[in-house]
Amino acid sequence: MPSITRRMIAILAIGTIFVAGLLFLTYHFLIGPTGLQTSMPTLSVATLGENKACVECHQKENPGIIQQYHDSKHSGHGVQCLDCHKPVKGQETLTKDHYNVALIAKPTPNNCAQCHATEVQQFTDSNHAAKSWYAVQGAKNFTPAELAKYHLLDANGKPLNGGNANPVFNLIGQDASAQSCEVCHAIGQKNSDGSFGDCTKCHLRHTFEVAQARKPATCAQCHLGPDHPQAEIYDESAHGAYYQANESKFNMDAPTGTLTVKDFPAPTCATCHMSAFGSVQGTHDVGQRLKWTLAPEIASVRKNGDVHQQTMNAVCLNCHAQPFIDDVMSKAEKNIALTNQNIAKGKSIIQDLRATGLLGTKPFGTPIDFLYFELWHHEGRRARFGAVMGGADYVNWNGIYEQEKALVELQSQAEALKVKH
Ligand code: HEC
Ligand code: HEC
Ligand code: HEC
Ligand code: HEC
Ligand code: HEC
Ligand code: HEC
Ligand code: HEC
Ligand code: HEC
């Protein structure tokens, strides 16, 4: 055979093998037996060392996780599965072996703190952390050092509320609590490595986006309902109405630290309570901009309340003139005082009955206990929250009006009880 023919045959053979190989690879990696997958993630960033196996296997097991990870800023910046899922110091008891790799199934704030120490510190100092968990657990799982560190001791150095969980917890029982109280309050759960909280309550995994955390719907998972209807109040406020009508004008993805009225023409929950906005610094401590504690029976001013109010004021100033803000806030303070007065009246009726022994000692033992509880826990809070966040309907029809009605009812039930005995 002439050498030229031999060379042609060789080229043809190699060419055929090459084309066939290409067809096979295309089928195997792109089309596959289930057809073309358009949402196939770019795996390049996640293929470092052991992380390659995580992505490959979980792509088959739970493609949603890999898709969310792929869409995140983390994957874009080369943050790998094991950057979060590898145990850090103090997580020995949480560590399990997973296909020959040491794994943390549920990364805690201690894992995030490797790269986000500031956010973790601010969050840990906030009422979203230990205080929130204490509200539904009482002191039982806290060490004395933790009780002191997270301000869970009263003026006499004893655990708050006698160390007990809230009485409603006992009223509804453990099973109901596991799917209600504990779901919301797990934002501050105690983790076995000593850290507090669950960042994924706001930063849904595995996208971990700021855009999503800035939307009212994120906060509305928990801040709603008869006792803390901040979401409903926001919806009926001018801010909420503006947001709903103009959602497409909001630049939810704007980088943190650069947010201004150009990105957010009206505030969301996060703008007022957390975001860096205009000249105001951002914070993961949601108490830093609050003058009042509005949730308890009697609302009161916080330590450093005036400094906090100036920070909130600086947020409003981006969009409103000072006299306008002063007017709103001074009216709100009058209504906070009014709720306090109404609750004090109700409380004296109840204390009077207790003193005469006409009510038992069991919490929530008589209908009148519920009347008084709702006077502050529902109606009082609703009026206060409505007053500070622009919810006119909540100030009146769901608030003060309901309080006035309940006071008449309380008085008349108290008299009836006294007559009976
Ligand atoms: C060969 C397949 C395979 C590999 C490789 C693999 N996983 Fe998994 N993984 C699974 C399966 C299946 C489950 C669910 C059942 C179980 O827990 O074993 C799971 C569960 C998990 C869980 C939840 C565990 C729990 O207890 O809730 C995490 C977190 C996880 N994998 C992360 C990773 C990470 C990170 C890597 C890489 C270091 C990895 N996986 C490697 C198949 C795999
Ligand atoms: C930025 C940190 C971070 C990265 C990166 C990360 N994870 Fe996670 N992952 C978490 C957190 C936080 C949880 C939820 C913990 C909890 O339930 O409290 C979680 C939960 C999981 C779970 C169990 C929960 C479920 O929905 O089934 C699996 C499985 C998992 N991750 C796999 C992976 C894989 C695979 C990768 C890489 C492609 C990855 N993770 C990358 C932080 C991360
Ligand atoms: C290995 C370092 C590392 C770890 C661990 C880590 N992150 Fe990140 N994270 C980053 C980097 C890098 C960015 C991108 C920063 C940027 O955009 O400038 C980022 C960005 C973010 C953002 C902003 C995303 C956006 O849309 O702008 C959030 C929220 C976030 N991380 C949450 C978490 C949480 C929660 C954890 C723990 C479960 C965690 N991260 C663990 C490195 C890390
Ligand atoms: C998973 C549930 C959950 C989510 C989501 C949530 N919160 Fe909370 N929040 C709570 C709980 C529980 C408390 C009560 C903490 C306590 O015990 O004082 C609270 C308290 C607060 C407080 C009062 C803090 C203080 O110092 O008294 C503010 C303000 C607040 N949240 C704002 C927000 C904002 C803004 C968002 C959304 C960006 C949000 N929360 C998302 C559960 C949640
Ligand atoms: C839908 C989510 C959700 C559920 C369910 C829930 N809470 Fe809360 N809880 C919150 C939020 C949000 C606040 C913050 C209210 C505020 O500051 O305006 C709060 C505040 C509290 C407070 C006052 C704060 C403090 O630290 O003293 C207590 C106590 C409390 N809850 C106990 C409970 C108990 C007990 C249950 C179950 C019977 C329960 N919660 C169910 C979301 C929830
Ligand atoms: C109450 C809801 C909430 C919780 C809980 C929460 N975050 Fe955030 N986070 C936000 C919001 C809202 C932003 C956007 C702030 C802004 O607009 O400036 C944000 C932004 C971030 C950023 C981006 C900051 C930057 O400057 O780029 C990181 C990182 C982050 N969070 C980490 C965490 C970590 C870690 C945890 C848990 C310790 C956590 N977050 C818990 C709501 C939350
Ligand atoms: C226009 C700014 C603004 C917006 C938007 C806003 N808030 Fe507020 N919020 C305030 C002000 C002002 C107060 C009272 C501050 C004080 O104590 O001086 C307040 C109080 C609160 C409290 C009361 C904490 C306590 O003392 O019990 C919670 C919880 C809260 N807001 C959550 C939310 C949530 C959730 C959203 C969104 C659904 C939201 N806020 C939207 C400005 C705002
Ligand atoms: C990012 C801009 C922005 C911020 C920040 C902001 N607002 Fe507004 N506010 C608006 C817009 C837009 C409206 C609806 C248009 C209007 O009525 O002026 C509005 C309306 C209001 C209204 C109803 C006005 C009316 O005439 O009925 C009140 C009250 C109000 N804001 C109070 C506040 C307070 C108090 C703060 C700070 C805690 C605040 N706002 C922060 C943009 C903002």
Side-chain angles (χ1 to χ4, degrees):
M1 231 191 300
S3 72
I4 177 109
T5 320
R6 251 184 312 183
R7 210 178 302 151
M8 274 175 69
I9 289 171
I11 289 171
L12 215 68
I14 291 167
T16 310
I17 291 166
F18 181 72
V19 169
L22 211 65
L23 282 173
F24 172 76
L25 288 173
T26 311
Y27 175 78
H28 185 77
F29 284 108
L30 280 180
I31 304 173
T34 52
L36 194 65
Q37 292 177 8
T38 47
S39 62
M40 194 73 168
T42 319
L43 300 182
S44 58
V45 295
T47 50
L48 294 181
E50 290 160 326
N51 299 283
K52 190 167 186 250
C54 320
V55 171
E56 281 174 1
C57 190
H58 279 278
Q59 169 68 38
K60 286 192 224 103
E61 296 287 338
N62 336 91
I65 292 178
I66 304 302
Q67 185 63 48
Q68 289 147 9
Y69 166 72
H70 167 252
D71 293 343
S72 73
K73 286 240 169 72
H74 283 136
S75 80
H77 282 77
V79 178
Q80 311 282 309
C81 312
L82 284 170
D83 286 328
C84 292
H85 283 282
K86 190 170 59 200
V88 296
K89 203 168 157 277
Q91 295 184 325
E92 293 73 18
T93 57
L94 292 170
T95 304
K96 47 167 125 173
D97 177 75
H98 191 62
Y99 300 94
N100 300 323
V101 176
L103 183 83
I104 289 293
K106 298 183 172 189
T108 75
N110 282 352
N111 301 87
C112 315
Q114 299 173 91
C115 307
H116 304 301
T118 310
E119 286 81 7
V120 172
Q121 189 58 55
Q122 290 169 341
F123 170 82
T124 307
D125 290 342
S126 80
N127 285 354
H128 266 155
K131 175 103 186 302
S132 168
W133 197 230
Y134 186 94
V136 295
Q137 296 280 303
K140 66 174 191 262
N141 293 323
F142 288 78
T143 65
E146 285 163 351
L147 294 173
K149 183 168 172 205
Y150 298 112
H151 315 292
L152 301 169
L153 298 173
D154 62 19
N156 304 319
K158 295 265 171 331
L160 291 176
N161 314 319
N164 300 314
N166 187 277
V168 188
F169 178 91
N170 298 325
L171 180 74
I172 69 168
Q174 180 58 52
D175 293 341
S177 166
Q179 286 204 301
S180 63
C181 321
E182 288 174 30
V183 176
C184 297
H185 284 262
I187 192 171
Q189 75 194 8
K190 185 173 175 180
N191 305 307
S192 325
D193 60 0
S195 64
F196 284 92
D198 179 357
C199 309
T200 68
K201 287 289 181 186
C202 287
H203 297 295
L204 303 182
R205 63 178 186 266
H206 277 88
T207 49
F208 295 101
E209 286 179 307
V210 290
Q212 170 253 305
R214 285 168 172 164
K215 294 196 176 166
T218 297
C219 319
Q221 295 173 93
C222 305
H223 287 274
L224 81 176
D227 53 342
H228 30 66
Q230 285 98 6
E232 293 89 332
I233 287 168
Y234 178 74
D235 284 348
E236 74 174 27
S237 74
H239 298 134
Y242 193 101
Y243 169 72
Q244 282 141 30
N246 300 287
E247 219 180 317
S248 61
K249 292 186 193 149
F250 283 65
N251 183 8
M252 285 290 165
D253 269 323
T256 44
T258 65
L259 219 58
T260 69
V261 295
K262 288 210 181 83
D263 307 298
F264 276 50
T268 65
C269 319
T271 322
C272 288
H273 291 288
M274 297 184 74
S275 296
F277 194 68
S279 63
V280 183
Q281 278 194 351
T283 181
H284 269 64
D285 180 348
V286 283
Q288 282 300 309
R289 299 177 186 175
L290 302 178
K291 172 178 177 182
W292 295 88
T293 55
L294 299 174
E297 266 171 297
I298 302 292
S300 61
V301 174
R302 292 175 191 237
K303 204 169 129 213
N304 299 326
D306 290 335
V307 180
H308 295 177
Q309 189 177 40
Q310 280 166 26
T311 313
M312 182 67 87
N313 191 74
V315 176
C316 315
L317 262 180
N318 281 286
C319 306
H320 299 291
Q322 192 61 54
F324 175 88
I325 306 166
D326 289 342
D327 181 50
V328 176
M329 285 306 159
S330 71
K331 283 180 182 150
E333 300 216 345
K334 287 190 189 126
N335 280 309
I336 293 172
L338 185 55
T339 61
N340 280 353
Q341 282 162 28
N342 284 342
I343 291 158
K345 278 186 209 159
K347 192 166 187 154
S348 79
I349 300 174
I350 288 283
Q351 279 171 339
D352 187 37
L353 282 179
R354 281 225 191 283
T356 54
L358 290 178
L359 294 177
T361 47
K362 188 171 161 262
F364 300 110
T366 60
I368 209 168
D369 288 325
F370 286 88
L371 256 182
Y372 174 67
F373 178 66
E374 292 184 10
L375 182 73
W376 70 270
H377 192 264
H378 291 29
E379 294 138 21
R381 283 182 179 179
R382 290 195 298 239
R384 292 167 189 161
F385 298 147
V388 293
M389 288 183 273
D393 185 51
Y394 279 85
V395 175
N396 175 39
W397 295 118
N398 292 304
I400 305 287
Y401 168 84
E402 290 286 345
Q403 281 198 318
E404 297 297 349
K405 192 173 125 196
L407 279 172
V408 173
E409 181 84 40
L410 258 176
Q411 189 66 53
S412 109
Q413 285 198 22
E415 274 155 24
L417 264 174
K418 282 185 196 157
V419 169
K420 228 165 56 182
H421 285 80

